[in-house]
Amino acid sequence: YIETYSFNKNEKDLQVAKINANYNQQVKEVMNLRIAAPKKVDLIQQLQKQRNNKIENANDLFFDYRNKYNYNHYDRNYNWIR
């Protein structure tokens, strides 16, 4: 028995939008810090890596075969396609 779950495209897009908004806020905070420019660049690169990992996790969750909204594995009646 395979445990299925629901994670539709709108939920994925909303989660990615929240991740990007959070990233933008963190970049603004880093830019307002009074530190040297190379350290700011390093911090922003770390934030980019974190953002990319979070977006990749959201995409993996959406494209997982257990997701019933993954149209690559289910038809419109949510029957498993082999």
Side-chain angles (χ1 to χ4, degrees), residues 21-39:
N22 187 20
Y23 168 76
N24 291 338
Q25 181 63 34
Q26 289 175 332
V27 168
K28 287 179 185 177
E29 291 173 3
V30 167
M31 293 306 292
N32 289 333
L33 293 175
R34 294 181 180 242
I35 58 176
K39 290 192 181 227

Side-chain angles (χ1 to χ4, degrees), residues 11-61:
E11 291 172 344
K12 178 185 76 92
D13 292 342
L14 181 63
Q15 191 171 6
V16 169
K18 285 181 182 179
I19 291 168
N20 285 328
N22 187 20
Y23 168 76
N24 291 338
Q25 181 63 34
Q26 289 175 332
V27 168
K28 287 179 185 177
E29 291 173 3
V30 167
M31 293 306 292
N32 289 333
L33 293 175
R34 294 181 180 242
I35 58 176
K39 290 192 181 227
K40 285 184 184 182
V41 170
D42 290 341
L43 288 173
I44 291 173
Q45 287 176 345
Q46 288 176 0
L47 292 174
Q48 285 175 341
K49 288 179 186 176
Q50 290 174 357
R51 180 189 64 171
N52 291 339
N53 287 337
K54 289 178 183 178
I55 290 174
E56 186 177 329
N57 290 340
N59 286 330
D60 289 345
L61 187 63

